[in-house]
Amino acid sequence: MPAGFPPADAMGVELAEQPGVWRALLGRFAEARAAVGVALGGRPVERVVVAGCGDCHAAAEWAEWLWEPSLRVRGLSAMELSRARLHLLGPGTLLVALSVSGKTPRVLEAVACARAGGARVLGLTDHPASPLAREADAVFCLGASPPEALDRTDYKNPRAAVYSGYHRPVPQTKTFGAMQLALVAVGQALGAGEGGEAWGELPGVAGPAAEAAAAAGARAAAAARPGCRIAVAGTGPGLPAARFAAYKFLELVVPAGHGEIEEFCHTWYLTTEPGDLVLFLVHDEATYERVAEIVPVVEGEIGAVVQALCTWAPAGEAPGWAVGLPAVGGRVAGILLPFAAAHWVRAVARAWGVNTDRFRAGKDEERYVAGSTRMIRRSRLRVPGGGFPGRDDA
């Protein structure tokens, strides 16, 4: 491995690389359009299904929100698709299969099911030499990581060492933002998401968004009680962003939950106690108005520490809970909010002394990664007819 791998605060390093990844992808929309054309093979599209696991499940949910006004689309977890919604994978369906490593078994399982059902497959991955890249009808690579880094790890445990496919052993952030922008490009090729949004603004607004979110996270961490519960909630594009943010906490061994804002009021609110952390993700006026009704109860009566990352806020002086981000359109906010939320997560974690150099904050990391190899990578694929040509054992 190269000296200094992974770098100190690798999570922060990857977040800092995000604007450059976006700039590169903004210049590759024509390449994505060509990949969509190859995947379709001249066939009409009746339905699009987007599927992934973990962060890619959140990206699939976001794609459904982004494309739904224009396309008949579903965004699902890969196992929900391959084992409970097989009827979606017939002729006339395009499966957009998401896997950063290109090795996720449930995603590969969905690909095999799609092939068996007569659907076409477009793979989105960061790994150009992965099983997903080989098995899809066409592939669009994110280009977020150097290819030579994707088949190596610094783990000593042999079962952990084979769990490769990522640039660094740290909670992934830049690949999620890359996957989202790649889905924008794919959606445009399919005739969805053409709303005149200024996607090119993303690299320029990243710095102010990161600064505001990180400062807010540090304040929140200082005000919260040790060992507190953490809830992240959003609606519309904020809902998959909330899932993503909660996952980043979990990958640092900081327990957190996520959900839709109204459902928070019916569920998670009932466990909220003084000093707990609650983060809302706000992308439009309607969401802001609802959060403004909730905060006085959760903050004022319960005593929780409440903040909201807002890409929309009314004119005038903002209340203390509202953290202003650059004002962008609702669709662009769907990418900016999870980016800002990841900076908020990192700031909270670092204020609490959590190691952001590594996955699981470096705590018993190799044992858990070895467990992931056994539980995930080496799990049996359940597909019509059995087997999957080209699957990696690791």
Side-chain angles (χ1 to χ4, degrees), residues 37-371:
V38 172
L40 292 177
R43 301 183 189 180
V45 180
E46 298 174 8
R47 175 195 290 120
V48 180
V49 181
V50 191
C53 298
D55 291 354
C56 287
H57 177 199
E61 289 179 323
W62 181 76
E64 178 179 311
W65 176 86
L66 181 71
W67 298 348
E68 194 169 32
S70 305
L71 292 176
R72 187 182 177 195
V73 59
R74 297 295 301 273
L76 299 169
S77 72
M79 182 168 169
E80 177 71 12
L81 175 62
S82 66
R83 302 202 179 188
R85 308 288 182 93
L86 275 176
H87 63 278
L88 297 174
L89 295 175
T93 294
L94 173 67
L95 170 63
V96 181
L98 314 182
S99 172
V100 170
S101 70
K103 300 179 179 183
T104 310
R106 298 290 76 73
V107 174
L108 297 177
E109 185 174 274
V111 170
C113 291
R115 286 195 172 283
R120 303 287 289 181
V121 180
L122 172 66
L124 299 188
T125 180
D126 202 31
H127 198 324
S130 63
L132 176 59
R134 293 195 299 268
E135 298 298 333
D137 293 300
V139 65
F140 180 72
C141 289
L142 306 180
S145 309
E148 66 273 12
L150 298 177
D151 287 316
R152 69 188 186 197
T153 72
D154 65 344
Y155 296 134
K156 304 299 186 291
N157 183 318
R159 283 199 297 151
V162 295
Y163 204 95
S164 61
Y166 308 95
H167 189 181
R168 302 179 181 97
V170 70
Q172 300 296 296
T173 54
K174 66 176 179 177
T175 50
F176 183 74
M179 189 67 78
Q180 286 190 293
L181 194 55
L183 286 165
V184 171
V186 169
Q188 290 188 4
L190 291 168
E194 295 277 11
E197 283 76 17
W199 300 107
E201 291 181 355
L202 276 167
V205 298
E211 183 178 347
R219 294 194 304 271
R225 63 179 174 83
C228 71
R229 296 181 181 87
I230 303 174
V232 189
T235 193
L239 181 54
R243 179 189 294 275
F244 171 72
Y247 285 0
K248 298 308 105 178
F249 272 126
L250 295 174
E251 290 165 3
L252 292 170
V253 201
V254 178
H258 74 278
E260 193 269 339
I261 288 173
E262 194 65 25
E263 292 306 300
F264 167 86
C265 301
H266 292 261
T267 56
W268 195 274
Y269 158 74
L270 301 174
T271 71
T272 304
E273 297 180 353
D276 283 351
L277 274 180
V278 178
L279 178 69
F280 294 113
L281 302 177
V282 174
H283 71 287
D284 64 4
E285 182 178 4
T287 306
Y288 185 97
E289 288 180 353
R290 184 67 183 113
V291 170
E293 294 174 329
I294 297 168
V295 172
V297 176
V298 180
E299 182 181 67
E301 297 187 22
I302 302 302
V305 178
V306 182
Q307 291 184 340
L309 300 180
C310 305
T311 58
W312 186 95
E317 186 175 352
W321 51 264
V323 180
L325 302 179
V328 294
R331 292 174 183 258
V332 180
I335 296 182
L336 190 63
L337 278 173
F339 172 74
H343 278 278
W344 191 88
V345 170
R346 171 180 168 270
V348 169
R350 289 179 68 80
W352 288 347
V354 175
N355 177 5
T356 57
D357 298 357
R358 301 200 62 107
F359 184 68
R360 273 191 55 83
K363 298 176 181 177
D364 207 6
E365 180 182 2
E366 294 205 18
R367 182 163 71 96
Y368 277 84
V369 174

